Amino acid sequence: MFLLVVAFMVSCLVLLATVLILIRMASPKRKPTSTVRVLSVAGSGGHTTEMIRLLKSLPVKFRPTSYVVANTDLMSKNKIKTFEEGRSSKLDDDYNIHVIPRSREVAQSWLTTCYTTSLAIIFAFPIVWRTKPDLVLVNGPGTCIPICFVSILFDIFGLHRSEIIFVESICRVDRLSMSGKILYHLASKFYVHWPELKAAYPRAIYLGGRVV
Protein backbone atom coordinates (compact mmCIF):
# COMPACT_ATOMS: atom_id res chain seq x y z
CA MET A 1 0.00 0.00 0.00
CA PHE A 2 2.80 2.38 0.92
CA LEU A 3 4.56 1.71 -2.39
CA LEU A 4 1.35 2.44 -4.28
CA VAL A 5 0.99 5.80 -2.51
CA VAL A 6 4.61 6.69 -3.26
CA ALA A 7 4.20 5.65 -6.91
CA PHE A 8 1.07 7.78 -7.20
CA MET A 9 2.79 10.84 -5.71
CA VAL A 10 5.80 10.43 -8.02
CA SER A 11 3.48 10.11 -11.02
CA CYS A 12 1.68 13.31 -10.01
CA LEU A 13 4.98 15.17 -9.65
CA VAL A 14 6.16 13.96 -13.08
CA LEU A 15 2.85 15.00 -14.63
CA LEU A 16 3.03 18.40 -12.94
CA ALA A 17 6.60 18.95 -14.12
CA THR A 18 5.63 18.02 -17.69
CA VAL A 19 2.70 20.44 -17.69
CA LEU A 20 4.83 23.29 -16.32
CA ILE A 21 7.54 22.71 -18.92
CA LEU A 22 4.97 22.73 -21.73
CA ILE A 23 3.48 25.97 -20.37
CA ARG A 24 6.95 27.52 -20.26
CA MET A 25 7.63 26.59 -23.89
CA ALA A 26 4.34 28.13 -25.03
CA SER A 27 4.48 31.29 -22.90
CA PRO A 28 5.53 34.62 -24.47
CA LYS A 29 8.09 36.66 -22.57
CA ARG A 30 6.71 39.61 -20.63
CA LYS A 31 7.93 43.04 -21.72
CA PRO A 32 9.68 45.08 -19.01
CA THR A 33 7.57 47.84 -17.43
CA SER A 34 8.10 50.64 -14.93
CA THR A 35 5.51 49.25 -12.52
CA VAL A 36 5.77 46.43 -9.99
CA ARG A 37 2.89 43.96 -9.92
CA VAL A 38 2.03 43.05 -6.33
CA LEU A 39 0.26 39.95 -5.09
CA SER A 40 -0.71 40.43 -1.45
CA VAL A 41 -2.10 37.71 0.80
CA ALA A 42 -4.55 38.83 3.47
CA GLY A 43 -5.49 36.92 6.59
CA SER A 44 -7.95 36.93 9.45
CA GLY A 45 -7.25 38.64 12.75
CA GLY A 46 -4.74 41.46 12.53
CA HIS A 47 -2.90 40.20 9.45
CA THR A 48 -4.96 42.24 7.00
CA THR A 49 -4.65 45.42 9.08
CA GLU A 50 -0.87 45.02 9.17
CA MET A 51 -0.81 44.25 5.43
CA ILE A 52 -2.73 47.43 4.62
CA ARG A 53 -0.17 49.41 6.63
CA LEU A 54 2.58 47.83 4.54
CA LEU A 55 0.82 48.64 1.28
CA LYS A 56 0.31 52.25 2.33
CA SER A 57 4.08 52.62 2.70
CA LEU A 58 4.88 51.40 -0.82
CA PRO A 59 5.64 53.88 -3.65
CA VAL A 60 3.02 54.48 -6.34
CA LYS A 61 4.87 52.29 -8.86
CA PHE A 62 3.83 49.19 -6.88
CA ARG A 63 0.65 48.68 -8.89
CA PRO A 64 -1.55 46.92 -9.80
CA THR A 65 -2.25 45.08 -6.58
CA SER A 66 -3.97 41.71 -6.47
CA TYR A 67 -5.20 40.28 -3.20
CA VAL A 68 -5.72 36.70 -2.08
CA VAL A 69 -8.12 35.90 0.76
CA ALA A 70 -9.52 32.69 2.20
CA ASN A 71 -13.07 31.81 1.24
CA THR A 72 -14.25 32.12 4.86
CA ASP A 73 -12.56 35.48 5.47
CA LEU A 74 -15.25 38.06 4.68
CA MET A 75 -13.81 40.67 7.03
CA SER A 76 -10.54 40.92 5.08
CA LYS A 77 -12.43 41.42 1.81
CA ASN A 78 -14.33 44.34 3.33
CA LYS A 79 -11.14 45.90 4.73
CA ILE A 80 -9.43 45.65 1.35
CA LYS A 81 -12.35 47.23 -0.48
CA THR A 82 -12.48 50.10 2.02
CA PHE A 83 -8.72 50.64 1.70
CA GLU A 84 -8.74 50.61 -2.10
CA GLU A 85 -11.78 52.87 -2.37
CA GLY A 86 -10.03 55.33 -0.06
CA ARG A 87 -7.08 55.73 -2.39
CA SER A 88 -8.98 55.46 -5.69
CA SER A 89 -8.89 59.26 -6.03
CA LYS A 90 -5.09 59.14 -6.28
CA LEU A 91 -4.65 55.87 -8.16
CA ASP A 92 -6.48 53.96 -10.82
CA ASP A 93 -8.96 51.43 -9.56
CA ASP A 94 -6.63 48.57 -10.55
CA TYR A 95 -6.97 45.88 -7.95
CA ASN A 96 -8.51 42.42 -7.81
CA ILE A 97 -9.50 40.12 -4.98
CA HIS A 98 -9.01 36.39 -5.51
CA VAL A 99 -10.47 33.73 -3.25
CA ILE A 100 -8.97 30.34 -2.40
CA PRO A 101 -9.98 27.68 0.13
CA ARG A 102 -8.54 28.24 3.59
CA SER A 103 -5.41 26.15 4.12
CA ARG A 104 -6.07 25.49 7.77
CA GLU A 105 -8.74 26.43 10.24
CA VAL A 106 -7.92 27.08 13.89
CA ALA A 107 -7.47 23.76 15.75
CA GLN A 108 -7.83 21.77 12.52
CA SER A 109 -6.02 18.42 12.61
CA TRP A 110 -2.78 18.13 10.66
CA LEU A 111 -4.14 15.14 8.75
CA THR A 112 -7.02 17.10 7.25
CA THR A 113 -4.74 20.14 6.85
CA CYS A 114 -2.79 18.19 4.23
CA TYR A 115 -5.98 17.86 2.17
CA THR A 116 -7.20 21.45 2.55
CA THR A 117 -3.74 22.87 1.81
CA SER A 118 -3.45 20.71 -1.32
CA LEU A 119 -6.84 21.99 -2.46
CA ALA A 120 -5.73 25.59 -1.85
CA ILE A 121 -2.57 24.96 -3.90
CA ILE A 122 -4.69 23.84 -6.85
CA PHE A 123 -6.65 27.11 -6.66
CA ALA A 124 -3.40 29.09 -6.34
CA PHE A 125 -1.99 27.96 -9.70
CA PRO A 126 -4.32 30.00 -11.97
CA ILE A 127 -4.12 33.04 -9.67
CA VAL A 128 -0.33 33.25 -9.80
CA TRP A 129 -0.37 32.52 -13.53
CA ARG A 130 -2.91 35.25 -14.34
CA THR A 131 -1.47 37.94 -12.08
CA LYS A 132 2.22 37.16 -12.78
CA PRO A 133 3.37 39.19 -9.76
CA ASP A 134 6.79 40.78 -9.53
CA LEU A 135 6.37 40.91 -5.75
CA VAL A 136 4.54 38.46 -3.50
CA LEU A 137 3.97 40.26 -0.20
CA VAL A 138 2.97 38.13 2.80
CA ASN A 139 2.92 38.52 6.57
CA GLY A 140 2.07 35.18 8.08
CA PRO A 141 -1.47 33.90 7.47
CA GLY A 142 -1.68 30.24 6.46
CA THR A 143 -3.29 31.26 3.19
CA CYS A 144 0.09 32.54 2.00
CA ILE A 145 1.70 29.07 1.92
CA PRO A 146 -0.09 27.81 -1.25
CA ILE A 147 0.59 31.11 -3.06
CA CYS A 148 4.28 31.07 -2.14
CA PHE A 149 4.59 27.38 -3.00
CA VAL A 150 3.21 27.94 -6.50
CA SER A 151 5.35 31.07 -6.98
CA ILE A 152 8.47 29.08 -6.09
CA LEU A 153 7.45 26.29 -8.48
CA PHE A 154 6.99 28.80 -11.30
CA ASP A 155 10.46 30.18 -10.57
CA ILE A 156 12.05 26.71 -10.54
CA PHE A 157 10.56 25.82 -13.92
CA GLY A 158 11.31 29.23 -15.42
CA LEU A 159 7.67 30.20 -15.95
CA HIS A 160 7.78 33.41 -13.97
CA ARG A 161 9.98 34.84 -11.25
CA SER A 162 8.54 36.63 -8.24
CA GLU A 163 10.28 38.14 -5.24
CA ILE A 164 8.72 36.77 -2.06
CA ILE A 165 8.84 39.29 0.77
CA PHE A 166 7.79 37.96 4.17
CA VAL A 167 7.10 40.45 6.97
CA GLU A 168 6.41 38.58 10.20
CA SER A 169 3.47 39.83 12.23
CA ILE A 170 4.34 42.40 14.89
CA CYS A 171 2.62 40.08 17.41
CA ARG A 172 5.45 37.58 17.02
CA VAL A 173 8.06 38.67 19.57
CA ASP A 174 10.28 35.65 20.22
CA ARG A 175 8.85 32.86 18.07
CA LEU A 176 8.02 32.74 14.38
CA SER A 177 4.59 31.81 13.11
CA MET A 178 4.23 28.43 11.41
CA SER A 179 4.21 30.19 8.05
CA GLY A 180 7.35 32.07 9.05
CA LYS A 181 9.14 28.85 9.96
CA ILE A 182 8.22 27.36 6.57
CA LEU A 183 9.22 30.40 4.52
CA TYR A 184 12.26 31.55 6.51
CA HIS A 185 14.73 29.95 4.08
CA LEU A 186 12.51 30.29 1.00
CA ALA A 187 11.54 33.97 0.99
CA SER A 188 13.67 36.44 -0.95
CA LYS A 189 13.70 38.72 2.10
CA PHE A 190 12.44 38.00 5.58
CA TYR A 191 11.59 40.86 7.97
CA VAL A 192 10.91 40.81 11.72
CA HIS A 193 9.81 43.53 14.14
CA TRP A 194 11.63 42.42 17.28
CA PRO A 195 15.35 42.05 18.11
CA GLU A 196 14.64 38.73 19.87
CA LEU A 197 13.60 37.20 16.54
CA LYS A 198 16.59 38.71 14.76
CA ALA A 199 18.89 37.08 17.34
CA ALA A 200 17.21 33.71 16.90
CA TYR A 201 17.01 33.91 13.10
CA PRO A 202 20.16 35.61 11.72
CA ARG A 203 18.91 35.65 8.13
CA ALA A 204 16.00 37.90 9.13
CA ILE A 205 16.12 41.65 8.63
CA TYR A 206 15.27 43.66 11.74
CA LEU A 207 12.88 46.51 11.00
CA GLY A 208 13.77 48.42 14.15
CA GLY A 209 10.37 50.04 14.56
CA ARG A 210 9.89 50.77 10.85
CA VAL A 211 6.88 49.48 8.97
CA VAL A 212 9.00 48.35 6.00
Side-chain angles (χ1 to χ4, degrees):
M1 183 65 181
F2 175 75
L3 292 178
L4 288 176
V5 173
V6 172
F8 175 75
M9 293 179 65
V10 171
S11 300
C12 290
L13 289 173
V14 171
L15 178 60
L16 176 61
T18 302
V19 171
L20 291 175
I21 291 172
L22 291 175
I23 293 175
R24 177 185 178 184
M25 294 172 62
S27 301
K29 292 184 178 180
R30 181 187 166 193
K31 297 180 180 179
T33 63
S34 58
T35 59
V36 178
R37 295 175 178 267
V38 179
L39 182 59
S40 170
V41 182
S44 56
H47 288 295
T48 299
T49 300
E50 290 183 21
M51 179 57 67
I52 289 174
R53 288 177 55 203
L54 288 171
L55 293 170
K56 284 180 179 179
S57 69
L58 295 179
V60 177
K61 72 173 184 177
F62 286 82
R63 300 287 285 182
T65 304
S66 298
Y67 297 89
V68 177
V69 300
N71 57 346
T72 57
D73 188 5
L74 299 178
M75 184 176 295
S76 290
K77 290 179 69 174
N78 293 332
K79 287 183 178 180
I80 291 167
K81 289 178 180 178
T82 301
F83 166 61
E84 288 291 345
E85 289 170 0
R87 65 175 182 172
S88 61
S89 59
K90 298 180 181 180
L91 301 170
D92 295 332
D93 187 22
D94 53 351
Y95 77 97
N96 295 285
I97 299 177
H98 305 274
V99 179
I100 66 173
R102 186 181 289 274
S103 297
R104 184 174 185 266
E105 296 285 356
V106 176
Q108 181 180 342
S109 70
W110 289 110
L111 181 62
T112 57
T113 295
C114 293
Y115 168 75
T116 52
T117 301
S118 299
L119 183 62
I121 288 173
I122 294 173
F123 277 76
F125 270 97
I127 294 174
V128 177
W129 178 248
R130 286 197 304 265
T131 58
K132 290 184 172 61
D134 301 303
L135 171 65
V136 177
L137 185 62
V138 298
N139 67 344
T143 307
C144 75
I145 296 300
I147 295 295
C148 292
F149 176 79
V150 172
S151 299
I152 291 169
L153 271 185
F154 278 15
D155 187 12
I156 291 174
F157 286 96
L159 296 172
H160 180 75
R161 188 174 191 281
S162 304
E163 295 288 327
I164 298 177
I165 304 298
F166 188 100
V167 183
E168 184 60 279
S169 172
I170 196 170
C171 298
R172 294 289 176 169
V173 178
D174 53 13
R175 289 189 300 174
L176 292 179
S177 61
M178 179 61 69
S179 299
K181 292 176 181 178
I182 294 172
L183 295 173
Y184 174 66
H185 291 289
L186 300 176
S188 306
K189 292 182 180 179
F190 193 99
Y191 292 92
V192 295
H193 290 276
W194 299 95
E196 292 87 344
L197 281 178
K198 171 60 181 175
Y201 297 91
R203 183 177 178 269
I205 301 170
Y206 175 47
L207 287 172
R210 295 177 290 118
V211 177
V212 292

